[in-house]
Amino acid sequence: MLELRPNCECCDRDLPPESLDARICSFECTYCNACADTHLNGRCPNCSGELVRRPVRPVAKLAANPPSILRLLKAGRCDAAGA
């Protein structure tokens, strides 16, 4: 099951589970559309994998399968990603 992380690892923007603006790599690193396009050129700075839109978990499934509350940030934020 995907770990729905609550924020962009680059700018710390909130990305709730219903957000259509969240992008992830195959390791579930999470970024907002703006950082993915502007700073990261569609590639994860951690694994170089493609960043794709994160699926939305159906609301009815959130109670039994809640999103993560752990906020992750890259050291230096977008600057560390080569911005």
Side-chain angles (χ1 to χ4, degrees), residues 9-74:
E9 293 181 33
C10 197
C11 72
D12 201 27
R13 175 181 166 194
D14 288 338
L15 295 170
E18 69 276 6
S19 178
L20 298 177
D21 293 331
R23 299 237 189 119
I24 61 171
C25 71
S26 64
F27 292 98
E28 301 175 40
C29 300
T30 304
Y31 301 94
C32 68
N33 283 344
C35 287
D37 292 341
T38 304
H39 300 294
L40 306 174
N41 298 315
R43 293 281 166 199
C44 177
N46 301 317
C47 70
S48 299
E50 178 183 15
L51 293 171
V52 298
R53 189 177 71 79
R54 181 181 71 189
V56 173
R57 184 166 298 154
V59 173
K61 302 292 184 184
L62 285 173
N65 304 284
S68 174
I69 59 170
L70 178 65
R71 296 181 81 86
L72 299 175
L73 281 174
K74 289 193 66 55

